[in-house]
Amino acid sequence: MASPTKEISIEEVAKHASEDSLWTIINGDVWDLTSFADMHPGGKAVLLAKDIAGRDSTEVFFGLHRSSILDRYKRYRIGRLVSSNENAKPKTYILPSPGELSLVPFAEPLWLTKGYKSPYFNKSHYRLQERVRYFFDTYVKEEALDHEKSAERPTPELMKLMGSPEWELHAMRMGPGRHLHGKVLPGGVKGEEFNYFHELVVVQELVRIGAPGYMAGLNAGMVIGLPPVLNFGTPELKAKVLPDILKGEKFISLAISEAMAGSDVRGMKTWARKTPDGKHYIVTGSKKWITNGLFSDWFMTGCRTSEDALSMILIPRTEEVETTPIRTSYSLAAGTAFVKFEGVKVPVEYCLGGENNGLKVILSNFVHERWVICCRIARYSRLIVEECFKWAHLRKVFGKRLIDQPAIRQKFAHMFAKVEAGQSWLETITHQMCNMNYAQQSEFLAGPMAGLKHFLSRAGGEIADEAVQIFGGRGITATGMGVYIEQFQRTYKFDSVLGGSEEVLADLFVRQAMKKMPRAVL
């Protein structure tokens, strides 16, 4: 086989248009598909078509395949097309490159778009973004797409790499705090200067990989389950629990939801009763839809400790803890589980925030949990809009590109507006978080955060609907061109339920405003 750097003329390519010698041109490269023809999923006849064999098939190829196929089969690339005639040189497409920013309009938030400025992001945020995007594109994306299909959890090697001193991704996903002090983070960011905008960068770069079930398996349980330890744990408990989790060696889940208690946390039935000597709790009950529960070593668990009060208790995995997988719209890579506690004995020191103060601990966690969900929806919706805009310029129907149809452009007008409005509101609230302590966030942001999550989850649903219409059958096919669209339309409802359902949060948004309503008149 000729070297991939060999220069080949278009006249030479044209000589190889038969079953015995089959060449084609894709994006300026020359490919020898002779030995591949029999393996082609669409059959050999497709490759022998007059607009492919011995011809430049770039437009045909990208209308039917994702660009990642080129990397998978690069062994068939034999050279580069060369032409002495400037007018005959092939028009090539920009291929995605690991770590690079997208040039597609609205594919990046404005602060990452050339020519735009932001009052919120400084040089440290740009440096962090560059390094974290490189990490997820290089080390995570391929595994994510594979494991989303195979339902395998993230590999231990990757989890440990994320927790290594070079990357500290698990620690950064916990947000600003003393757990980062003294650390030098990717891009040379000092742990002491890490703020919520840095965390937003990490969350939104993670979301770009797609693969929603795998994303949840990538320590989503830690993000919502570990904050009570950070904020209410004793020094001894922190020393016991935090290091292994932040290094990616052990895992934790938040165990609140039950079969009869979802958004209504006061309705939970799991009980924790003290032993006669008062040194332990005996925990009995069950939890449902617990993200990462299948492989967690610790469970941050809401328990009833009296008829009218709850407590948050950290429960280690023991023989009395049983976890079984729950099949949801997500891939099983998320490790979603039904968890049973059958008389688990737990030291009273593992009760966080004080006995009967569990609701306070739960509520203190909600603002950050919902904010993370908002970061996720905003970026995932933007990824879907980017996929759609690319496709609309590639796909031809009725003799025109999709984007040349006025009805399609109307869809994009609404989609662009939704992602820009959502990101703008998110950044405004993030700025407030950077200038408030936990108590102030609970007081001033509980309502706006609920409203933001309601807006973004509704917008995400509308974007999912438009995306399927733009992609057609490919938008409901689990492989190929519309893989990200299919994943999104199948799973976007998770974010309208997790962290509080849309209806509950919409009502909270208004009720919080009502509390601050003055005796105003018209």
Side-chain angles (χ1 to χ4, degrees):
M1 180 181 290
S3 168
T5 59
K6 180 181 178 182
E7 295 184 342
I8 303 172
S9 70
I10 195 166
E11 292 79 14
E12 178 65 23
V13 175
K15 297 175 184 178
H16 301 268
S18 68
E19 188 173 338
D20 295 329
S21 184
L22 176 55
W23 291 9
T24 193
I25 301 164
I26 302 174
N27 216 42
D29 289 327
V30 179
W31 298 71
D32 183 350
L33 304 180
T34 310
S35 61
F36 173 74
D38 287 328
M39 297 183 286
H40 186 260
K44 183 187 300 184
V46 172
L47 299 180
L48 290 170
K50 63 180 182 180
D51 56 347
I52 295 177
R55 303 286 296 275
D56 189 329
S57 60
T58 301
E59 287 198 19
V60 176
F61 178 85
F62 286 122
L64 295 169
H65 304 85
R66 298 191 68 87
S67 59
S68 56
I69 295 293
L70 296 177
D71 281 333
R72 186 179 303 174
Y73 294 100
K74 59 187 177 183
R75 60 188 179 276
Y76 297 109
R77 189 174 63 225
I78 60 172
R80 185 75 180 165
L81 187 69
V82 64
S83 175
S84 57
N85 184 350
E86 286 293 326
N87 295 325
K89 286 188 176 180
K91 294 180 180 178
T92 58
Y93 289 94
I94 297 172
L95 300 180
S97 181
E100 296 293 324
L101 294 173
S102 175
L103 298 178
V104 175
F106 299 99
E108 305 285 1
L110 284 182
W111 73 275
L112 285 175
T113 304
K114 186 176 181 179
Y116 291 86
K117 308 296 181 184
S118 169
Y120 303 130
F121 297 90
N122 59 39
K123 290 181 180 179
S124 70
H125 298 106
Y126 288 93
R127 295 198 308 270
L128 178 67
Q129 181 276 327
E130 183 178 8
R131 293 297 295 148
V132 173
R133 178 164 297 191
Y134 172 82
F135 180 90
F136 285 118
D137 282 354
T138 305
Y139 300 113
V140 182
K141 193 168 188 176
E142 184 176 354
E143 177 179 301
L145 296 176
D146 289 342
H147 285 213
E148 185 77 7
K149 298 174 187 175
S150 67
E152 299 172 81
R153 58 182 283 194
T155 58
E157 294 77 14
L158 176 61
M159 299 303 290
K160 290 176 183 177
L161 180 62
M162 290 177 68
S164 67
E166 180 183 1
W167 295 103
E168 295 286 5
L169 282 157
H170 301 312
M172 288 193 291
R173 291 180 70 193
M174 299 313 302
R178 293 182 179 178
H179 63 287
L180 292 175
H181 290 187
K183 297 179 183 294
V184 178
L185 307 173
V189 179
K190 294 181 180 178
E192 290 80 2
E193 67 177 316
F194 188 92
N195 63 22
Y196 287 110
F197 281 104
H198 292 98
E199 185 184 358
L200 181 148
V201 168
V202 174
V203 175
Q204 294 203 322
E205 289 300 321
L206 164 62
V207 171
R208 288 183 63 259
I209 66 174
Y214 177 90
M215 268 196 287
L218 207 63
N219 244 350
M222 174 199 70
V223 175
I224 56 179
L226 196 56
V229 178
L230 284 170
N231 297 321
F232 298 96
T234 63
E236 295 77 17
L237 187 61
K238 290 179 182 178
K240 181 180 180 67
V241 175
L242 291 180
D244 287 344
I245 292 178
L246 296 182
K247 285 189 290 186
E249 296 176 356
K250 289 194 174 181
F251 306 93
I252 188 171
S253 295
L254 180 67
I256 299 291
S257 297
E258 299 181 3
M260 301 298 290
S263 296
D264 177 19
V265 295
R266 289 184 176 88
M268 65 179 63
K269 304 297 182 184
T270 297
W271 269 90
R273 294 179 171 89
K274 276 185 176 176
T275 55
D277 62 8
K279 294 182 179 180
H280 293 84
Y281 291 104
I282 303 298
V283 181
T284 303
S286 63
K287 299 292 179 178
K288 196 170 185 179
W289 306 294
I290 305 307
T291 303
N292 301 170
L294 203 58
F295 50 80
S296 282
D297 303 285
W298 297 93
F299 300 86
M300 181 56 63
T301 310
C303 303
R304 188 164 295 286
T305 43
S306 71
E307 290 295 340
D308 57 358
L310 307 173
S311 298
M312 285 297 284
I313 299 175
L314 182 62
I315 301 177
R317 183 182 283 274
T318 65
E319 292 181 357
E320 293 77 26
V321 178
E322 180 183 338
T323 57
T324 53
I326 294 178
R327 291 188 176 276
T328 70
S329 301
Y330 267 170
S331 163
L332 283 175
T336 306
F338 182 78
V339 184
K340 286 198 294 186
F341 303 111
E342 299 182 328
V344 187
K345 192 174 184 179
V346 185
V348 293
E349 291 80 11
Y350 287 14
C351 180
L352 300 177
E355 187 171 284
N356 297 331
N357 284 328
L359 194 60
K360 171 187 172 183
V361 177
I362 293 170
L363 293 178
S364 73
N365 205 29
F366 269 154
V367 169
H368 183 261
E369 177 185 354
R370 289 168 181 163
W371 175 80
V372 170
I373 294 172
C374 289
C375 293
R376 187 167 69 228
I377 305 172
R379 195 60 183 85
Y380 205 172
S381 296
R382 190 179 291 276
L383 172 65
I384 298 306
V385 172
E386 178 185 9
E387 289 282 300
C388 289
F389 206 46
K390 288 178 179 178
W391 177 243
H393 283 77
L394 290 170
R395 177 66 168 163
K396 291 184 177 179
V397 291
F398 305 115
K400 295 181 178 180
R401 299 176 305 170
L402 273 179
I403 197 63
D404 295 323
Q405 304 288 347
I408 298 298
R409 294 199 295 272
Q410 281 294 308
K411 292 181 183 296
F412 281 111
H414 294 297
M415 294 165 82
F416 291 162
K418 288 181 175 70
V419 295
E420 289 304 319
Q423 182 74 19
S424 180
W425 191 0
L426 172 63
E427 291 178 9
T428 297
I429 284 186
T430 303
H431 178 65
Q432 305 310 314
M433 291 172 65
C434 289
N435 290 279
M436 293 180 181
N437 58 36
Y438 251 58
Q440 291 170 325
Q441 289 178 22
S442 296
E443 179 182 356
F444 294 107
L445 296 182
M449 194 72 76
L452 174 60
K453 182 176 178 295
H454 173 264
F455 171 79
L456 284 169
S457 62
R458 293 305 303 164
E462 293 162 4
I463 288 170
D465 183 68
E466 298 286 27
V468 171
Q469 296 308 113
I470 290 169
F471 268 79
R474 290 173 172 84
I476 50 175
T477 302
T479 57
M481 303 294 279
V483 58
Y484 292 113
I485 309 305
E486 189 278 333
Q487 290 174 357
F488 189 67
Q489 63 84 23
R490 175 167 42 84
T491 60
Y492 77 88
K493 289 301 290 183
F494 274 80
D495 287 326
S496 70
V497 173
L498 302 179
S501 65
E502 283 179 354
E503 294 79 8
V504 171
L505 294 189
D507 185 56
L508 175 62
F509 185 28
V510 178
R511 285 190 292 108
Q512 289 291 307
M514 290 169 63
K515 285 182 179 180
K516 298 177 181 179
M517 180 65 181
R519 291 174 59 84
V521 296
L522 296 175

